[in-house]
Amino acid sequence: MLSATIDKWVYATAHLRVDRRIVVGYSRRETVDGVDALENKLLAAVLRRADFLAGVELHLVSELPIDASGMGGNAAAVCAAFTALYGIRGMTMDPSWLAQQAAAVEIEDCARPVGRQDHVAAAFGGFARLTFTGDRFARN
């Protein structure tokens, strides 16, 4: 399949908190005592996978609606959230690993019936030919 991205962005910022609370901001703001109390299950799954179970603040701002736009917004939001959270630790991520983690959040953790192509596009950006075999992909 051919994949192309557009010039719209999801911006994510994250920082540690001095208390144990979790704050997430998107179209809403949630302040909770633990990751399991978050209403946004997608961001809760990202925080769990990134091992941020308390004491963190994560904010997302998008140029397009994240959910249900048909433009890969959830995949872009998850990739941006992972990038911001791992950035706190001074880590950068290989785009292949990022795509796999982002897809796992939606497909495995949130049981959403989505394909992996949006996650690969969000992690790599640009134009590419993708070949999928099961849950693996090759970017040509």
Side-chain angles (χ1 to χ4, degrees), residues 19-118:
D19 61 15
R20 303 285 299 155
R21 305 213 69 195
I22 293 176
V23 177
V24 294
Y26 47 103
S27 59
R28 296 186 46 218
R29 181 180 168 97
E30 294 186 54
T31 303
V32 296
D33 291 323
V35 71
D36 293 330
L38 284 171
E39 289 182 29
N40 188 311
K41 300 307 177 196
L42 189 66
L43 294 180
V46 170
L47 289 166
R48 273 190 215 92
R49 277 199 180 256
D51 198 28
F52 282 94
L53 305 180
V56 69
E57 192 157 337
L58 173 65
H59 293 274
L60 298 173
V61 177
S62 177
E63 291 184 278
L64 292 173
I66 289 176
D67 224 0
S69 70
M71 301 293 290
N74 281 338
V78 171
C79 286
F82 271 126
T83 301
L85 290 167
Y86 282 106
I88 291 173
R89 296 182 179 137
M91 299 169 64
T92 57
M93 291 161 290
D94 172 74
S96 294
W97 182 87
L98 179 59
Q100 291 169 346
Q101 290 301 302
V105 163
E106 279 203 88
I107 296 168
E108 297 168 21
D109 301 346
C110 295
R112 292 184 174 183
V114 298
R116 297 175 185 278
Q117 68 280 354
D118 288 347

Side-chain angles (χ1 to χ4, degrees), residues 3 5 79 94-100 117-128 130 137-139:
S3 172
T5 57
C79 286
D94 172 74
S96 294
W97 182 87
L98 179 59
Q100 291 169 346
Q117 68 280 354
D118 288 347
H119 307 93
V120 174
F124 283 94
F127 184 80
L130 305 174
F137 70 91
R139 185 173 185 269

